[in-house]
Amino acid sequence: MKKRQFLALTIALSASITLPALAQDAAQPYAGTQLAVLMEGHPTTDGIQALIPEFTKETGIEVQLEVVPESDITAKMLLEFSSGSGRYDVVQNNIIYIPGFVKAGYIDPLDELAQKLPKYLDKADFVPGYLNTNIVDGKLYGLPVYGESTFLMYRKDLFDQYGLTPPKTFDDVTAAAKTIKEKSNSEITGITMRGAQGIQNVYVWAGWLWGYGGEFISSDGKSALGSDEAAKSLDAFANVLRNYGPVGVANFGWEENRVLFQQGKAGMTMDATVNGAFNEDPSVSSVVGKVGYVPVPSQSDKLKGGSSSLAVHSLYVASASKQKEAAFLFASWATAKEQQIKSFGIAPNSGVTSQAALNSEEFNKRYGAFKEAMLASIAKGNPQYLPTVEAANEIINNAGIAVSKALAGTASAKDALAEANSANDAALGR
């Protein structure tokens, strides 16, 4: 064979071998990238975790997902962020922490990434109120992975049996809890709520704080936990749990509280709207069809904000990530309507942020029993339900200590909150 012919054949063979590989790289430009993702334990996370193999098949991106309890995730994130470790590419947390994260430079705006990588992102599909909470100074910093409000859940069968009506005030809640415990000979707890110190007890007690006419921070930027309204709310919260709540309630987080109610061992609970999905799931609940849902009550007619929460948890791209484009692809994929709709068949998940998922036939089939009450609570949801300032984490921790002291009876509600008030003023003044 002549040399020129040999070279031509070699080039042709090389092209036939390399072209498919080049085509594959173009389809999966981030293939081989390994992402470290930190998320909290939640039905949404369960759904995403189960679907990650599909993401890897589509993109070639490997995802190492670490799941920790909500009560631990903020401290873990702050430790990694402040050390500059770059350990995580994508993180999840409550939007209340966005102002602090943005100011410290811990998370990146997503607008340019969204323009460059639009494959999975459909901003118009997000519930507007959820997406808008992620915008700071006109820039988008997070993609909402789940949203929720809070409502009061009560056993319709027990209320009918004992001649009770759905509570409208916290006095009604206490009276109903007393009746259920006494008339059931203490076989059924009157009410169960979260009592574990920190974000757990503060998240639920906050409904009582706002419902009594209190607030975390006054209009002049000072801590408002030293008010009479705050003391009355904590006194009522601690008393109803001590007198009519379950044994060990001081250690109850979201899961412990949810499971006790699902098992039919409590007459009422006040918690996140996502709990409705568990109540109505026959595979995990003994109270399917027996639960009524109403907005969180209020005690005062002079409220500074609603007593139902508006909580949004989002995915953020860490500023220290070395692979931000792949990180954004994961965040936008994980929050896309396709994954949210698929999640219904994986875990009880009513906290979807996609309008397509929320309005789907499958959602209505599974969660129709409480959808109306959930949407009503979201519509009335208080975006300042938990403080949304840079010192949010410290403020919540201080408040959590006060709630725990009042619940344990080691300090009066007034004294415990006075201590938290001073500590929060110091945090706000820094």
Side-chain angles (χ1 to χ4, degrees):
M1 183 181 292
K2 293 181 180 179
K3 185 174 181 182
R4 183 175 298 175
Q5 290 176 320
F6 177 79
L7 287 173
L9 180 60
T10 302
I11 293 169
L13 286 172
S14 298
S16 67
I17 293 171
T18 58
L19 281 177
L22 287 172
Q24 184 180 19
D25 289 344
Q28 295 186 328
Y30 305 100
T33 301
Q34 291 191 341
L35 294 177
V37 178
L38 179 67
M39 295 184 68
E40 63 193 53
H42 189 271
T44 303
T45 303
D46 296 339
I48 291 170
Q49 188 167 30
L51 295 169
I52 282 176
E54 294 184 13
F55 175 72
T56 299
K57 184 178 180 180
E58 287 181 28
T59 64
I61 299 170
E62 300 286 340
V63 178
Q64 296 176 337
L65 177 62
E66 183 178 348
V67 181
V68 299
E70 179 188 4
S71 52
D72 299 334
I73 198 166
T74 303
K76 189 174 185 66
M77 286 172 57
L78 288 173
L79 178 63
E80 298 299 335
F81 283 161
S82 61
S83 69
S85 70
R87 179 176 178 180
Y88 299 111
D89 300 292
V90 178
V91 295
Q92 176 197 358
N93 212 321
N94 195 311
I95 55 94
I96 64 173
Y97 299 113
I98 287 183
F101 290 167
V102 170
K103 184 172 182 180
Y106 293 153
I107 58 177
D108 271 6
L110 305 178
D111 304 275
E112 290 185 9
L113 289 168
Q115 289 181 354
K116 183 175 182 179
L117 301 167
K119 180 176 181 180
Y120 298 113
L121 182 64
D122 182 3
K123 287 185 184 179
D125 179 57
F126 285 117
V127 174
Y130 290 163
L131 183 66
N132 292 341
T133 59
N134 289 274
I135 297 174
V136 177
D137 296 331
K139 295 180 180 179
L140 179 68
Y141 281 89
L143 298 179
V145 69
Y146 79 84
E148 64 189 15
S149 185
T150 42
F151 50 27
L152 180 75
M153 295 156 266
Y154 66 95
R155 287 278 300 280
K156 294 186 293 185
D157 54 337
L158 295 178
F159 270 57
D160 289 343
Q161 182 179 347
Y162 300 137
L164 300 169
T165 56
K168 294 183 178 179
T169 68
F170 288 113
D171 282 348
D172 294 342
V173 171
T174 300
K178 180 176 186 292
T179 296
I180 291 168
K181 182 177 180 179
E182 290 179 352
K183 292 198 172 184
S184 69
N185 295 316
S186 297
E187 291 183 7
I188 300 177
T189 292
I191 187 169
T192 178
M193 292 184 286
R194 306 186 205 180
Q197 184 174 307
I199 187 65
Q200 299 289 339
N201 59 16
V202 172
Y203 184 61
V204 178
W205 167 65
W208 295 64
L209 171 66
W210 289 99
Y212 268 81
E215 58 187 340
F216 280 97
I217 302 172
S218 62
S219 58
D220 61 358
K222 300 290 181 64
S223 175
L225 294 187
S227 69
D228 289 341
E229 294 86 354
K232 289 177 181 177
S233 74
L234 181 52
D235 194 46
F237 176 84
N239 282 333
V240 75
L241 282 180
R242 279 203 305 265
N243 295 326
Y244 313 117
V247 174
V249 71
N251 297 314
F252 275 32
W254 170 72
E255 187 171 5
E256 293 83 1
N257 183 58
R258 169 179 64 76
V259 170
L260 189 80
F261 188 76
Q262 284 170 222
Q263 293 174 339
K265 297 179 180 179
M268 292 178 290
T269 185
M270 198 180 101
D271 212 309
T273 48
V274 71
N275 286 31
F278 290 89
N279 296 338
E280 306 301 336
D281 183 349
S283 69
V284 296
S285 174
S286 64
V287 296
V288 176
K290 298 179 181 179
V291 182
Y293 304 88
V294 293
V296 174
S298 59
Q299 193 67 24
S300 172
D301 58 1
K302 297 179 180 178
L303 301 181
K304 298 181 176 70
S307 54
S308 289
S309 73
L310 181 62
V312 182
H313 291 237
S314 298
L315 294 179
Y316 314 107
V317 173
S319 296
S321 171
K322 299 292 191 293
Q323 40 220 9
K324 294 176 184 176
E325 293 183 359
F328 176 80
L329 271 181
F330 173 78
S332 56
W333 169 87
T335 55
K337 55 180 173 287
E338 291 81 6
Q339 279 59 254
Q340 296 201 38
I341 291 172
K342 288 176 185 176
S343 73
F344 295 149
I346 300 170
N349 180 21
S350 60
V352 291
T353 59
S354 156
Q355 296 186 78
L358 190 62
N359 295 320
S360 68
E361 181 179 348
E362 188 66 19
F363 187 97
N364 288 312
K365 177 183 175 182
R366 290 176 181 270
Y367 308 131
F370 63 91
K371 180 178 179 179
E372 184 177 343
M374 181 187 77
L375 294 178
S377 294
I378 290 172
K380 295 179 180 178
N382 181 355
Q384 299 301 317
Y385 183 83
L386 292 176
T388 58
V389 294
E390 293 171 34
N393 192 50
E394 193 170 350
I395 290 169
I396 289 168
N397 286 339
N398 293 333
I401 293 170
V403 174
S404 290
K405 286 182 177 179
L407 187 55
T410 58
S412 68
K414 184 176 181 179
D415 289 346
L417 285 173
E419 185 177 352
N421 196 62
S422 296
N424 285 350
D425 267 337
L428 288 165
R430 290 191 190 110

